[in-house]
Amino acid sequence: MKQQAARRPGSAGWALAITSVAGFMAALDNLVVTTALPSIRKDLGGALSDLEWTVNAYTLTFAVLLMFGAALGDRFGRRRLFVTGLTIFTGASAAAAMAPGINELIAARAVQGVGAAIMMPLTLTLLSAAVPAERRGAAIGIWGAATGLAVASGPLIGGSLTQHMSWQWIFWLNVPLGLALIPLARFRLAESTAPGARLDGRGTALISLGLFGIVFALVNASDHGWTSGRVLSGLIGGAILVAAFVRHGIVAERPMLPMRLFRGRAFAGINVASMLMFTGMFGSIFLLSQFLQNVVGYSPTEAGLRMLPWTGMPMIVAPIAGYLSDRIGGRPVVAAGLALQALGLGWFALILSPTVSYTAQLPALIISGTGMALFIAPAANLVLSSVRDSEQGIASGANNALREIGGALGIAVLGSIFSANGGYGSPARFVSGLTPALWVGAGILGVAVVAALLLPARRGAAASLAEGSAEGTVAPLRAEGSAEGSAGPLRAEGSAGTSSPARPPVEPVRQVNASRG
């Protein structure tokens, strides 16, 4: 039977549109609810901790199940599981909009996170399979523009919908988009699997429970303190389980995330940089959006509009960043993006005061937005290009999980610094806490720049990957177009020594005709 079917004309365009919208939806729900919390409390009641869980329930399930969602796609079909995750996400969004009470809303948000965890890591693998290698960077740049815009503009969209319609519309927004995407994904995306892939139940349990413990501790640290029993037990227990997962990835015959991938400098470096970037960025956006409302006095919509020089940059710069990464390699683009992010936060820390003008903030907003846009698309491309085609799903899942952990860590750490040096009592106290928090965020991004500069240079990447492959890490990457014009599998060049003797080489991704079920 023919293992790879001809790609339908225009399938790359359809894949880009479908995965970009789906990625936007999943990323948007990270922060879209934050500006709607006062209205939710007025309608549904609940204590402050209940409102916190309307945010955290999504973050927790999204983070801890990302890798499992990617593994399900590799095993049962990436298109099939993408549609399944999209269906769960859409249904849970409708349930959240119709929730009669706060507990029902929290439960719906948790189910939303399950759907997003299945859907999100598969967007990149489906897009990568549909786009030829020579155009992949630009395509991922557009995808990065959509997801980056969603992360940064969540408070604006949530505040605008809440202020001009009702808080329910932040969830109803997902329903027509999801209903439109489900049939399009079913008939316009090609199916693919990782031949011979199987679920790693033990590894899934270890990493899911371990990440749950860590994220649970991080999101409770600001309320209960870093030395409280629930925070310490979550951190220690989660760290033990994650360490057990790492050992499992080393000794198991076919683990869900082979630790040999991290022996490759490219894969390890870009994942460290990604986690640090989201640590500095998420924590800073979390505090700066409150500064614009609590200190300057803007409404949620007004604050979101004034963040547009930051949030709008991905739409302009990310496609250019993808093109540049194709031309000169991802390392310099990623490093430049991280450096600009650090510069932007440092600028904010220097000029902040209770009476600072918006004109003084504008350069920092533009610099930070440009830096974020330069990072997102090339970083995603670097993650995918550092592993075999058949391992791209789990690599994407691991990278997204680390980003979510970084975001939760950033909010917890920068929030603790803010609380230790200032607070909400007055504009002056708020600025006193925000300034050192932003300096720490800039420092974290500075460390990320160092991690990015340690990535292999473009010309040396193939040699680095070849060396890693000989040690059982990843195969060197060479994109080959098939007779049908698709981006072919990333093959190991050389002889039999390209994979570990204890592990048979992985076959290329099997694709079937998009019209099949």
Side-chain angles (χ1 to χ4, degrees):
M1 182 177 71
K2 191 175 182 180
Q3 289 196 343
Q4 183 170 342
R7 183 181 284 111
R8 291 181 175 183
S11 63
W14 278 111
L16 177 59
I18 293 167
T19 57
S20 294
V21 174
F24 179 89
M25 291 165 63
L28 179 69
D29 273 62
N30 269 302
L31 294 176
V32 73
V33 74
T34 54
T35 46
L37 291 177
S39 296
I40 291 173
R41 183 178 185 183
K42 181 179 179 181
D43 285 356
L44 302 182
L48 178 61
S49 60
D50 295 320
L51 297 180
E52 291 174 347
W53 275 110
T54 63
V55 179
N56 297 339
Y58 182 84
T59 302
L60 283 172
T61 53
F62 190 16
V64 303
L65 294 176
L66 271 168
M67 295 179 65
F68 186 55
L72 286 172
D74 287 345
R75 173 65 179 83
F76 296 109
R78 290 161 183 160
R79 183 190 66 187
R80 179 181 300 172
L81 265 294
F82 175 78
V83 171
T84 300
L86 185 58
T87 303
I88 293 172
F89 183 86
T90 303
S93 297
M98 296 185 293
I102 194 69
N103 292 329
E104 291 82 359
L105 176 59
I106 292 171
R109 287 282 288 167
V111 178
Q112 261 194 314
V114 173
I118 298 172
M119 174 178 68
M120 188 63 171
L122 298 177
T123 58
L124 274 176
T125 50
L126 288 166
L127 179 60
S128 180
V131 178
E134 65 273 12
R135 291 188 287 140
R136 194 172 295 156
I140 293 177
I142 297 172
W143 173 90
T147 55
L149 178 64
V151 169
S153 64
L156 168 61
I157 295 174
S160 298
L161 290 174
T162 301
Q163 185 171 333
H164 300 292
M165 300 177 75
S166 70
W167 65 262
Q168 285 89 348
W169 278 97
I170 65 177
F171 302 115
W172 280 126
L173 176 66
N174 294 322
V175 176
L177 293 174
L179 292 176
L181 288 183
I182 289 169
L184 286 175
R186 171 65 182 79
F187 294 108
R188 293 292 181 175
L189 296 178
E191 183 62 283
S192 67
T193 61
R198 62 184 182 184
L199 295 178
D200 176 10
R202 185 172 187 177
T204 299
L206 287 171
I207 193 61
S208 296
L209 293 173
L211 289 180
F212 178 87
I214 293 172
V215 175
F216 180 85
L218 292 174
V219 298
N220 280 280
S222 59
D223 285 338
H224 299 276
W226 288 96
T227 58
S228 67
R230 72 167 62 193
V231 172
L232 287 177
S233 61
L235 288 174
I236 295 171
I240 291 172
L241 290 171
V242 170
F245 173 76
V246 171
R247 183 179 183 279
H248 175 75
I250 296 172
V251 303
E253 182 180 355
R254 300 189 65 182
M256 67 181 297
L257 179 59
M259 290 298 117
R260 61 184 175 78
L261 296 178
F262 289 94
R263 297 178 197 159
R265 190 153 55 103
F267 185 80
I270 193 57
N271 276 286
V272 170
S274 294
M275 182 173 176
L276 292 173
M277 188 271 188
F278 272 69
T279 301
M281 183 191 72
F282 257 75
S284 300
I285 288 178
F286 175 76
L287 292 171
L288 283 169
S289 63
Q290 295 182 69
F291 167 79
L292 292 175
Q293 296 179 58
N294 295 336
V295 176
V296 183
Y298 294 130
S299 70
T301 302
E302 290 171 337
L305 286 172
R306 282 162 177 78
M307 289 286 285
L308 279 178
W310 187 336
T311 63
M313 279 297 112
M315 292 297 294
I316 300 170
V317 178
I320 301 172
Y323 172 77
L324 287 175
S325 71
D326 285 340
R327 300 285 294 179
I328 65 175
R331 183 180 73 166
V333 182
V334 162
L338 292 168
L340 287 174
Q341 280 260 281
L343 177 62
L345 294 185
W347 190 308
F348 264 120
L350 285 172
I351 58 96
L352 279 184
S353 74
T355 58
V356 64
S357 69
Y358 180 69
T359 303
Q361 299 175 50
L362 194 57
L365 290 166
I366 294 173
I367 292 170
S368 297
T370 302
M372 181 176 69
L374 284 175
F375 176 86
I376 291 175
N381 202 13
L382 285 170
V383 170
L384 294 177
S385 64
S386 66
V387 298
R388 297 185 180 105
D389 271 4
S390 58
E391 294 169 326
Q392 286 181 349
I394 197 60
S396 175
N399 182 258
N400 277 282
L402 287 170
R403 290 182 179 196
E404 290 295 314
I405 295 296
L409 182 63
I411 291 173
V413 172
L414 269 62
S416 295
I417 295 169
F418 167 80
S419 298
N421 293 276
Y424 292 92
S426 68
R429 277 184 53 79
F430 195 102
V431 171
S432 295
L434 177 57
T435 300
L438 291 179
W439 279 122
V440 171
I444 291 170
L445 286 160
V447 176
V449 173
V450 176
L453 291 175
L454 293 176
L455 291 169
R458 188 173 190 180
R459 292 180 179 178
S464 174
L465 289 168
E467 180 182 354
S469 181
E471 297 174 357
T473 57
V474 299
L477 307 183
R478 179 165 65 88
E480 298 183 353
S482 69
E484 294 80 17
S486 65
L490 302 179
R491 294 181 50 190
E493 297 180 5
S495 60
T498 58
S499 60
S500 171
R503 182 182 173 95
V506 180
E507 299 177 62
V509 176
R510 179 173 61 88
Q511 291 190 339
V512 296
N513 194 292
S515 63
R516 295 180 186 171

